[in-house]
């Protein structure tokens, strides 16, 4: 399964022919479904079916756009999508695969119904292949359509996460918002899309690894996390603040550069909407931090420092991902 995931993404990344890139997307989709259904239960199966139907619909639209573009232009090269209708259908299909609004409804439901490990792969690795296609065809995209998708994703992702109590759903709405940030800048400066994607993947992987290590899936369980593992709580707090875009953490860098580029290109209204939507995300990040650091669940155990005697052993990925997602702001470009 892991080899199939790696093969599908790699095939899409290195292809310059539409059919090969489409095959990579399909391999990627089919490879993660067995991971979603393990262990086998009704909730996992339901989420896998929802994911398959949405991805299959998007793949069908992508194939239609590929064939229509080839019929109109007589070429199958990935970098040249010169037909306006083909470009529009391709953008909408990639928005469905990435979970951009208004095609975002499947992301929280699927993420909530699958295990934490599968959810981590769904919200990180599965975003690479569609984003790479969006990056490669960016010169042909429609700016107005991209801004509409991006602004609606950031606003709906922020509002949707406000009343959630499940951490997987909150991270799913966070993914919708970050996909909007990446989409809005892909036509102006595609390199910032890649930068944002890498930082988002590092931060999201670190959060999922922390939650998986402590077996935490709900906000109310975070109130006892400090009692179990204080280092893990501090790590989670730093990563969430970085994901929310607070300086001097790494997550501030892509948001700062994206807003700067939008203002340079006179998209001031879009920049203001994105900045306001970031406050919505920061609110439910701060709520998670409040529950995990400033509250403590009532316990009969007199010892409030269990973590000092027995603390879960962190995996080797957590420190490295924490450094990447929180401490790279000094490396940001000055211009």
């Amino acid at each position: 399964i892991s080899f199939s995931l790696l093969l599908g993404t790699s095939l899409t990344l290195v292809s310059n022919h539409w059919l090969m890139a489409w095959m990579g997307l399909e391999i990627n989709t089919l490879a993660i479904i067995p991971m979603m259904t393990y262990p086998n239960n009704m909730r996992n199966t339901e989420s896998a079916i929802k994911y398959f139907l949405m991805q299959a619909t998007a793949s069908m639209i992508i194939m239609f756009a590929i064939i229509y573009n080839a019929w109109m232009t007589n070429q199958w090269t990935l970098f040249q999508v010169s037909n306006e209708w083909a470009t529009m259908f391709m953008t909408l299909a990639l928005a469905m695969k990435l979970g951009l609004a208004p095609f975002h409804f499947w992301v929280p439901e699927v993420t909530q119904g699958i295990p934490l490990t599968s959810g981590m792969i769904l919200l990180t690795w599965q975003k690479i292949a569609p984003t790479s296609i969006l990056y490669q065809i960016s010169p042909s995209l429609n700016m107005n359509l991209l801004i509409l998708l991006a602004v609606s994703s950031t606003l709906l992702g922020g509002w949707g996460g406000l009343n959630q109590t499940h951490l997987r759903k909150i991270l799913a709405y966070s993914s919708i918002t970050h996909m909007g940030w990446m989409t809005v800048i892909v036509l102006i400066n595609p390199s910032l899309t890649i930068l944002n994607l890498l930082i988002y993947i590092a931060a999201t992987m670190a959060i999922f690894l922390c939650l998986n290590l402590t077996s935490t899936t709900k906000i109310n369980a975070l109130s006892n996390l400090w009692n179990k593992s204080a280092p893990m709580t501090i790590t989670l707090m730093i990563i969430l603040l970085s994901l929310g875009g607070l300086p001097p953490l790494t997550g501030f860098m892509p948001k700062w550069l994206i807003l700067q580029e939008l203002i340079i290109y006179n998209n001031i209204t879009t920049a203001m909407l994105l900045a306001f939507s970031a406050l919505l995300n920061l609110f439910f990040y701060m709520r998670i931090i409040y529950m995990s650091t400033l509250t403590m669940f009532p316990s009969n155990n007199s010892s409030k420092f269990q973590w000092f005697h027995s603390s879960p052993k962190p995996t080797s990925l957590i420190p490295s991902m924490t450094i990447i997602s929180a401490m790279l702001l000094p490396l940001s470009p000055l211009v």
Side-chain angles (χ1 to χ4, degrees), residues 88-159:
M88 184 184 71
F89 282 117
M90 184 66 65
T91 305
L92 294 177
L94 291 174
M96 293 175 69
K97 281 191 168 291
L98 290 170
L100 291 169
F103 312 107
H104 66 288
F105 298 102
W106 64 272
V107 182
E109 296 299 324
V110 172
T111 308
Q112 174 61 25
I114 58 179
L116 284 169
T117 305
S118 302
M120 178 182 70
I121 296 174
L122 176 66
L123 297 182
T124 55
W125 184 262
Q126 294 296 96
K127 306 293 185 182
I128 297 177
T131 306
S132 69
I133 295 181
L134 202 65
Y135 175 88
Q136 293 178 74
I137 67 172
S138 57
S140 306
L141 298 177
N142 187 330
M143 185 64 183
N144 294 327
L145 180 59
L146 288 177
I147 290 177
L148 178 63
L149 292 172
V151 172
S152 58
S153 297
T154 54
L155 291 176
L156 291 175
W159 283 111

Side-chain angles (χ1 to χ4, degrees), residues 13 31 38 45-48 57 151 182 197 201 221 241 251 258-259 269 281 310-311 313:
L13 289 175
Y38 181 82
T45 305
E46 178 189 353
S47 299
T57 304
V151 172
M182 297 175 208
L197 179 64
I201 287 176
L241 289 176
I258 288 173
L259 292 176
T269 305
N281 287 83
S310 61
S311 179
K313 297 180 180 179

